[in-house]
Amino acid sequence: MKPLNPPASATPLHRAENLLILGSGPAGYTAAIYAARANLAPVLLTGLTPGGQLTVTTEVENYPGFAEPIMGPQLMQQMRAQAERYGTIVLDDIIIRVDFAASPYGLVADSGTEFRAKAVIIATGAQARWLGIPSEEHFRGFGVSACATCDGFFFRNKRVAVIGGGNSAVEEALYLTHHAAEVILIHRRDSLRAERILQDRLMKHPKITVMWNQEVLEVIGTDAPRKVTGVKLRSISDKAHPVEQTLAVDGVFVAIGHEPATSLFRGQLPMDKGGYLLSAPDSTITAKPGIFAAGDVKDKIFRQAVTAAGMGCMAALEAEKYLAQWEG
Ligand code: NAP
């Protein structure tokens, strides 16, 4: 990615825009495709991870239109090219400050660019959630990861643990079998919430074992060199008599869900207690006129690429209607 900070001497650029789209996942790019085709001259800021969560996944099997699985990064490149083809301006930049007090809204980017926008579509998505234990933080990047496709390669013929029981955890575990000798899925309950088709693949895989009803207490490792050597677990199947044990592993992949990327909007837009942006029923309209929310940033239920894309489409259509009123 290009450096985001301009030289100190550079003066901030001021840009007045019709429609700014924040985020470059399926919601952002779909909003851009619809908005560009409606001649709204959208400007899309990619954020820190251009392409979003699908760029750190492997094969996507459930995005309609691809009879054969498509690789996540390739799908996102196609979406970007499609958005640009119809005139979307895509900037590799992130917004670091917003002022949604009055329209046109003020947004400041990391590059120094100051935007004024009549309408904004927020599609900033979600980020991986962490366990929140100090040892996890200590070994992050040294054996603890939240991205098997990014880091799985480093665990060739090793023994790794995956924490979680949802689709992400199962997909991470299955992916890691391409590299690791042994994968142990550690889940805090006695049943998974992952889709049945993924559960079946997991259970049948000869390299994978599942440890049920286990809580992760600590990641264990050495400091010179800094590396993971195991995890300390507490069995919680009998809550009255918890049993602790240490499992020797070389890597720990945390796959326990996601958190919406909304800290930037705190105090400016209403959100629920989980930080997800709130919008009107059956709509992407937020409490502020001309500000719309689409995709994982407002959806804690479905969180699929295809539902995010659908919401991006809704947001662009609603922005088009809003901007027509502005003109009129
Ligand atoms: P998720 O469905 O919310 O699952 C999170 C898992 O982590 C749950 O099993 C949960 O346990 C566990 N967990 C949460 N906090 C924990 C903690 N502090 N310690 C230990 N375990 C913890 O999240 P996800 O798997 O990332 O999936 C998110 C969404 O994306 C879902 O809607 C999913 O369907 C979707 N997704 C879809 C695909 C696909 O279609 N191929 C792929 C990936 C993700 P409990 O079960 O006990 O709550």
Side-chain angles (χ1 to χ4, degrees), residues 62 129-131 163-169 171 187-189 191-193 195 198 255-258 300-304:
N62 53 9
R129 183 185 294 145
W130 295 92
L131 292 165
I163 319 294
N167 276 349
S168 300
E171 285 192 343
H187 184 36
R188 65 181 177 183
R189 290 189 298 122
S191 64
L192 301 170
R193 64 171 70 228
E195 286 167 23
L198 289 174
I256 60 168
H258 293 86
K300 60 180 171 211
I301 299 171
F302 301 106
R303 293 179 291 188
Q304 304 296 303

Side-chain angles (χ1 to χ4, degrees), residues 180-239:
E182 196 182 343
V183 180
I184 300 146
L185 185 93
I186 297 169
H187 184 36
R188 65 181 177 183
R189 290 189 298 122
D190 61 0
S191 64
L192 301 170
R193 64 171 70 228
E195 286 167 23
R196 181 57 60 186
I197 184 171
L198 289 174
Q199 290 197 35
D200 289 348
R201 279 184 212 161
L202 181 93
M203 296 304 178
K204 278 188 201 139
H205 204 290
K207 280 190 180 177
I208 301 177
T209 49
V210 182
M211 290 180 73
W212 304 102
N213 299 307
Q214 299 289 333
E215 200 179 10
V216 179
L217 299 178
E218 196 183 340
V219 179
I220 297 163
T222 58
D223 270 342
R226 199 190 299 192
K227 67 173 180 139
V228 168
T229 56
V231 274
K232 194 189 228 183
L233 303 172
R234 177 163 53 201
S235 163
I236 46 174
S237 33
D238 179 359
K239 288 210 168 79

Side-chain angles (χ1 to χ4, degrees), residues 235-283:
S235 163
I236 46 174
S237 33
D238 179 359
K239 288 210 168 79
H241 304 96
V243 180
E244 290 186 13
Q245 65 172 308
T246 298
L247 178 76
V249 288
D250 305 291
V252 177
F253 288 82
V254 180
I256 60 168
H258 293 86
E259 281 169 3
T262 53
S263 53
L264 189 60
F265 314 113
R266 210 157 281 150
Q268 308 246 8
L269 289 173
M271 43 186 89
D272 70 9
K273 62 180 186 333
Y276 289 88
L277 292 182
L278 296 175
S279 60
D282 300 325
S283 160

Side-chain angles (χ1 to χ4, degrees), residues 24-243:
S24 55
Y29 281 140
T30 306
I33 292 162
Y34 274 78
R37 292 188 75 256
N39 290 330
L40 300 182
V43 173
L44 181 148
L45 283 88
T46 59
L48 264 185
T49 314
Q53 292 177 64
L54 280 183
T55 55
V56 289
T57 191
T58 49
E59 291 185 339
V60 179
E61 296 176 342
N62 53 9
Y63 198 84
F66 299 92
E68 294 301 318
I70 180 165
M71 300 302 281
Q74 198 190 340
L75 178 61
M76 298 320 296
Q77 275 164 15
Q78 287 293 317
M79 286 193 200
R80 178 174 179 151
Q82 192 177 356
E84 287 178 323
R85 177 193 173 102
Y86 297 106
T88 304
I89 295 172
V90 178
L91 304 175
D92 285 317
D93 207 345
I94 57 169
I95 294 298
I96 54 168
R97 218 164 46 246
V98 297
D99 178 2
F100 289 163
S103 176
Y105 300 111
L107 301 96
V108 180
D110 193 53
S111 61
T113 308
E114 293 181 8
F115 293 94
R116 285 268 150 206
K118 291 180 192 165
V120 180
I121 294 176
I122 300 172
T124 47
Q127 298 139 353
R129 183 185 294 145
W130 295 92
L131 292 165
I133 50 178
S135 53
E136 169 193 58
E137 173 74 32
H138 183 71
F139 289 108
R140 214 192 281 178
F142 297 90
V144 171
S145 167
C147 177
T149 50
C150 316
D151 300 323
F153 179 78
F154 301 115
F155 297 91
R156 187 159 289 275
N157 299 323
K158 304 264 175 143
R159 190 179 199 225
V160 295
V162 176
I163 319 294
N167 276 349
S168 300
V170 174
E171 285 192 343
E172 297 275 270
L174 288 165
Y175 175 77
L176 284 164
T177 60
H178 300 309
H179 299 288
E182 196 182 343
V183 180
I184 300 146
L185 185 93
I186 297 169
H187 184 36
R188 65 181 177 183
R189 290 189 298 122
D190 61 0
S191 64
L192 301 170
R193 64 171 70 228
E195 286 167 23
R196 181 57 60 186
I197 184 171
L198 289 174
Q199 290 197 35
D200 289 348
R201 279 184 212 161
L202 181 93
M203 296 304 178
K204 278 188 201 139
H205 204 290
K207 280 190 180 177
I208 301 177
T209 49
V210 182
M211 290 180 73
W212 304 102
N213 299 307
Q214 299 289 333
E215 200 179 10
V216 179
L217 299 178
E218 196 183 340
V219 179
I220 297 163
T222 58
D223 270 342
R226 199 190 299 192
K227 67 173 180 139
V228 168
T229 56
V231 274
K232 194 189 228 183
L233 303 172
R234 177 163 53 201
S235 163
I236 46 174
S237 33
D238 179 359
K239 288 210 168 79
H241 304 96
V243 180

